Amino acid sequence: MAIHVKRAFKYRFYPSDAQAAELSRTFGCVRKVYNMALAARTEAWARQERVNYNQTSALLTAWKKTEELAYLGEVSSVPLQQALRHLQIAFSNFFAKRAKYPRFKSRKKSRRSAEYTTSAFRFRDGRLTLAKMSEPLDIRWSRPMPEGAKPSTVTVSHDAAGRWFVSLLVEDPAVQPLPANGTAIGIDVGLSHLVTLSTGEKVANPRHERRDRARLARAQRQVSRKATGSANRAKARVKAARVHARIADRRRDMLHKLTTRLVRENQTLVIEDLTVRGMVRNRSLARAISDAAWADFRSMLEYKAAWYGREVIAVDRFFPSSKLCSHCGALAERMPLNVRAWTCDGCGTTHDRDVNAAKNLLAVGLTASVCGAGVRPQRESSRTGRSATKQKTPRREP
């Protein structure tokens, strides 16, 4: 069965001075319009009134006619309208209780980006020209796009490390469901090993942040020594951001390769429903958990499984996967975090803690899938009143 998947292809580009200035103005106007529209909707919300996208679009037209905000008309109107649409989506998610109330964009901390639709760019013969620009962008085509692809939207961004990126959203016909192979696997995530599979395979945790920790600390010290607001401090901040970008790029590349392999090789993938947001509140583990990027790992697994016709099953976080014997089903009374291997009192089987957990996740996930029962947990346990955090808190790694 043919499916239609929209896929973003991201490339780095090098703008001319004029293009960089135009894009910087556009970023500033996008942020200004978003914040003003959010303020207008917040004031209306306080009066128990609702303001929708069409009303904010009319406000934008009125703002452009004022002397104070006339500069909004000097940039392409499409990114400004897209900012209002993004705000509408943010409010829709808030009203549906999928997200918190929208926040104002900060000039220093918020992502600098602008989105263009088909009416605001021209893409011909591999050359992309944005509205208000006479020359195409100097893009480094690091990987080929689908043949004959026509972008529906183009997003331009500028990160803290000073790099410029363009993301083109196209329909990728190469993304099609893979032949079913009937293979299922349980996946247990951790810190000493990034993932442990029910087959016994363990994937080492590269610890990307730890490898560059000394370099990052040195760059951050240089920032702290510079005078606030000075040009030297700005340069030092860029150097520190480049170290962060290097870490994030390596981590993302590794996760993409791992998740792609797991999805291609297995029809069913069973994972544990971890509350990473709650787990990082533990200060002694927050840095290691963030570096492992468990949430990104799960997100990649889920959307790639949807692409290729695979299934991801999330098991209740309160399921005692580490304490349950995968051979006889006996439940150990205690399982301290420093115990990495243990012997079952019931059958005498010796288990590797992580491999045993992966096997148990696979078993309970397949059982729930066959029975048709949901395995995603409730936010709170009604009987115990415990918060929705994982019982098996990972041990601190040296």
Side-chain angles (χ1 to χ4, degrees), residues 31-60 62-63 69 84 87-88 91 95 101-102 104:
R31 183 181 63 252
K32 180 69 173 179
V33 168
Y34 185 95
N35 287 343
M36 292 178 63
L38 176 55
R41 296 184 69 147
T42 301
E43 293 173 0
W45 177 258
R47 300 191 303 268
Q48 297 184 347
E49 299 176 2
R50 284 199 180 186
V51 176
N52 57 27
Y53 163 76
N54 292 331
Q55 292 169 300
T56 55
S57 181
L59 286 175
L60 175 59
W63 292 335
L69 300 173
L84 298 180
L87 180 60
Q88 177 64 35
F91 270 100
F95 291 132
Y101 193 83
F104 291 96

Side-chain angles (χ1 to χ4, degrees), residues 28-272:
C29 291
V30 166
R31 183 181 63 252
K32 180 69 173 179
V33 168
Y34 185 95
N35 287 343
M36 292 178 63
L38 176 55
R41 296 184 69 147
T42 301
E43 293 173 0
W45 177 258
R47 300 191 303 268
Q48 297 184 347
E49 299 176 2
R50 284 199 180 186
V51 176
N52 57 27
Y53 163 76
N54 292 331
Q55 292 169 300
T56 55
S57 181
L59 286 175
L60 175 59
T61 302
W63 292 335
K64 289 181 179 180
K65 295 179 180 179
T66 64
E67 182 178 354
E68 181 183 1
L69 300 173
Y71 63 87
L72 295 177
E74 298 175 1
V75 301
S76 173
S77 63
V78 172
L80 307 185
Q81 293 289 348
Q82 290 299 101
L84 298 180
R85 290 189 175 93
H86 294 164
L87 180 60
Q88 177 64 35
I89 293 173
F91 270 100
S92 298
N93 290 333
F94 167 69
F95 291 132
K97 298 182 179 181
R98 293 189 296 265
K100 295 182 179 180
Y101 193 83
R103 296 184 298 180
F104 291 96
K105 293 184 179 293
S106 167
R107 184 175 65 87
K108 293 183 178 180
K109 297 182 180 180
S110 297
R111 181 170 179 258
R112 305 181 69 217
S113 65
E115 185 176 273
Y116 297 78
T117 57
T118 52
S119 61
F121 67 84
R122 183 173 65 251
F123 184 72
R124 294 177 183 172
D125 301 324
R127 294 164 66 87
L128 176 67
T129 306
L130 301 178
K132 302 288 184 177
M133 295 184 186
S134 58
E135 297 294 329
L137 300 180
D138 183 14
I139 301 175
R140 298 296 187 265
W141 301 100
S142 54
R143 58 172 175 162
M145 290 178 59
E147 186 176 353
K150 296 181 179 179
S152 57
T153 62
V154 169
T155 303
V156 180
S157 59
H158 186 219
D159 68 7
R163 302 178 301 179
W164 294 85
F165 292 98
V166 59
S167 180
L168 297 89
L169 186 65
V170 302
E171 188 174 297
D172 189 358
V175 178
Q176 297 295 333
L178 297 172
N181 56 22
T183 306
I185 196 167
I187 304 172
D188 183 69
V189 298
L191 296 180
S192 57
H193 293 90
L194 183 61
V195 298
T196 300
L197 308 181
S198 55
T199 58
E201 178 186 353
K202 294 187 176 183
V203 178
N205 185 357
R207 292 185 173 89
H208 298 290
E209 188 271 339
R210 178 180 293 185
R211 290 169 57 186
D212 275 349
R213 186 171 295 177
R215 180 181 300 180
L216 180 60
R218 186 165 55 250
Q220 291 173 332
R221 285 196 299 269
Q222 291 297 323
V223 174
S224 66
R225 291 169 181 166
K226 302 297 186 293
T228 303
S230 66
N232 284 337
R233 187 180 179 88
K235 293 177 183 177
R237 287 172 62 92
V238 171
K239 290 182 179 179
R242 287 174 180 169
V243 180
H244 278 293
R246 170 187 169 90
I247 295 170
D249 289 346
R250 288 205 311 258
R251 181 188 298 123
R252 190 182 308 110
D253 179 68
M254 186 268 181
L255 290 178
H256 271 301
K257 291 176 180 177
L258 175 60
T259 53
T260 298
R261 176 173 73 87
L262 292 175
V263 168
R264 289 185 179 276
E265 294 178 354
N266 302 280
Q267 181 67 33
T268 304
L269 304 101
V270 184
I271 60 176
E272 195 167 11

